[in-house]
Amino acid sequence: MRRNGQKGLGLLFMLCLLFLLVLGACSSGESGEVTSDKPDTTESTERTNANTEEQAEEAEPVEVKQFSNEPVTLKVATQWGEENFQNNFVQDMKELVPHITFEYVDWNGTAEGIQEINSAGTVVAY
């Protein structure tokens, strides 16, 4: 009977040790406190900023693509009705992209419905 009690005590000791190891591993990160033991990093920060500025000067200019303003018609399939589509989507988009015309395509919201639209030869954004 004494042996059984020693096994339980040994198991409890091992679990406590494991718990302390896990707890110690979780808490061994950088703390938010600043201590005086750390060296002054102001000088190294200034060198890093100078290196960054030199790299920015040496970087090649990035080519910006200019998109066309040609008139385009975009067909949009939606299940919320044409009136809702016009009021909530088209009017807002007219201000942003006046060269794009949005055309409403009725869709019931199912996969079969979009397959029917595609099989009719209509390519839509949904």
Side-chain angles (χ1 to χ4, degrees), residues 1-2 5 14 17 20 23 28 31 47-49 57 59-60 66 71 85-86 88 97 106 111 115 120 124-125:
M1 184 150 168
R2 186 172 184 200
M14 293 299 284
L17 184 62
L20 289 174
L23 185 64
S28 67
S31 65
R47 278 186 267 147
T48 304
N49 289 341
E57 291 174 3
E60 294 180 19
Q66 189 66 27
F85 173 72
Q86 293 293 332
N88 294 325
V97 284
D106 189 31
Q115 288 175 350
V124 295

Side-chain angles (χ1 to χ4, degrees), residues 9-114:
L9 188 60
L11 183 61
L12 181 62
F13 177 74
M14 293 299 284
L15 286 174
C16 289
L17 184 62
L18 180 65
F19 177 75
L20 289 174
L21 286 173
V22 170
L23 185 64
C26 291
S27 65
S28 67
E30 288 186 29
S31 65
E33 298 177 29
V34 177
T35 61
S36 60
D37 295 341
K38 293 184 179 180
D40 186 22
T41 58
T42 307
E43 186 178 319
S44 64
T45 304
E46 290 172 0
R47 278 186 267 147
T48 304
N49 289 341
N51 290 340
T52 306
E53 290 172 4
E54 290 173 6
Q55 289 174 354
E57 291 174 3
E58 294 173 4
E60 294 180 19
V62 176
E63 183 180 333
V64 178
K65 273 191 170 180
Q66 189 66 27
F67 292 99
S68 172
N69 287 335
E70 293 180 30
V72 175
T73 300
L74 182 63
K75 296 180 181 183
V76 180
T78 180
Q79 60 189 4
W80 294 291
E82 186 170 5
E83 184 178 326
N84 191 8
F85 173 72
Q86 293 293 332
N87 292 338
N88 294 325
F89 181 75
V90 174
Q91 290 187 359
D92 294 336
M93 295 304 288
K94 277 184 183 179
E95 296 172 9
L96 295 172
V97 284
H99 62 284
I100 298 178
T101 304
F102 294 95
E103 184 179 315
Y104 172 77
V105 176
D106 189 31
W107 174 42
N108 61 5
T110 63
E112 292 82 16
I114 202 71

